[in-house]
Amino acid sequence: EAKLVFRELFDLDVKAKRILEKLREKNIPVRCKPQVQTYLNALKSEKYGQSTFSLGKLEEWCLNHFRKEGDDEDSAVVIGYQVVIHDDFHELNCDLNENCFQVVIYTSRLIRNMSLSDKLHADATYKLVYEGIPVLVIGVTDMNLQFHPCCIALCSNEKQRDFDFVFRTIRREAELLNCTLRINCLISDASNAI
């Protein structure tokens, strides 16, 4: 009976805490919230498939979405990526036994916005996360103080090497597009990594 009630509540998009309350209201024995969360995760996996990704899948996705000649200027494409398994940590200057990756995604129209300003903004947001990984947002502001995003990046860490990779990738791509960057000011939070 518990599983039937649980599935009905899950199908109604009821959250774990509320499911626990409903089960207790119906005098259905449930040990604790983690038990409810575990079953909820199992139902989500059953309904939506596995949510986790592997570095191999990430690299395959990057290859499939890497910039190609003739891409639409409004299509989001990968312009740079690195995926390093801990065996190759020396290649990306990763810590021992640490897997590292960086992926930079943009549209060519957005990267051209960078020529509109000499002020570059860079920050990691933890409100928008992918698999628990922060998303780095890079953009510029115009004379009207309007923010224009230029690209996003997914990085395994928020370290100096990650920002370095992102900035170098942007500069390389701007050169390929004959887009002149005249950045003379970087605006960010107090992160030591930037």
Side-chain angles (χ1 to χ4, degrees):
E1 180 189 5
K3 288 185 178 183
L4 181 63
V5 171
F6 198 100
R7 187 172 291 276
E8 287 173 6
L9 294 171
F10 170 75
D11 289 337
L12 295 172
D13 290 325
V14 177
K15 304 289 181 217
K17 184 178 177 182
R18 187 72 180 126
I19 289 174
L20 183 61
E21 291 170 1
K22 285 289 191 185
L23 290 172
R24 288 184 176 154
E25 283 174 12
K26 294 181 183 244
N27 293 323
I28 298 173
V30 179
R31 282 180 276 187
C32 57
K33 187 178 173 185
Q35 182 183 18
V36 171
Q37 191 63 52
T38 300
Y39 191 62
L40 185 61
N41 290 342
L43 286 176
K44 285 180 182 177
S45 291
E46 180 185 307
K47 184 174 182 178
Y48 302 114
Q50 291 295 330
S51 65
T52 59
F53 72 98
S54 68
L55 291 180
K57 285 182 183 177
L58 177 65
E59 189 165 21
E60 180 182 335
W61 184 87
C62 288
L63 285 169
N64 291 335
H65 293 86
F66 200 81
R67 174 190 30 77
K68 295 180 244 358
E69 198 65 38
D71 278 338
D72 178 40
E73 68 177 358
D74 294 318
S75 295
V77 294
V78 173
I79 58 171
Y81 74 94
Q82 293 186 77
V83 177
V84 177
I85 308 301
H86 72 269
D87 295 339
D88 302 323
F89 67 93
H90 59 280
E91 290 179 30
L92 195 53
N93 193 23
C94 294
D95 299 330
L96 187 61
N97 295 324
E98 178 185 36
N99 295 328
C100 297
F101 65 87
Q102 292 119 358
V103 179
V104 183
I105 303 168
Y106 89 133
T107 73
S108 59
R109 184 186 307 266
L110 290 179
I111 206 83
R112 286 189 181 100
N113 284 341
M114 292 185 81
S115 65
L116 300 175
S117 177
D118 61 351
K119 293 165 186 60
L120 182 69
H121 297 261
D123 196 14
T125 176
Y126 291 85
K127 292 188 183 221
L128 173 66
V129 293
Y130 178 74
E131 295 293 328
I133 299 156
V135 175
L136 307 180
V137 180
I138 313 296
V140 296
T141 49
D142 62 18
M143 297 300 281
N144 296 322
L145 304 178
Q146 295 294 309
F147 178 75
H148 300 276
C150 297
C151 69
I152 61 170
L154 298 173
C155 297
S156 53
N157 298 293
E158 187 184 354
K159 295 185 178 176
Q160 182 177 349
R161 68 172 177 254
D162 299 308
F163 283 101
D164 184 53
F165 176 80
V166 171
F167 294 143
R168 287 180 192 276
T169 301
I170 291 169
R171 185 175 60 198
R172 186 194 72 236
E173 195 63 25
E175 289 170 1
L176 287 172
L177 292 170
N178 295 319
C179 179
T180 304
L181 299 181
R182 48 188 184 89
I183 305 300
N184 65 20
C185 179
L186 175 64
I187 301 166
S188 66
D189 60 10
S191 171
N192 291 333
I194 299 177

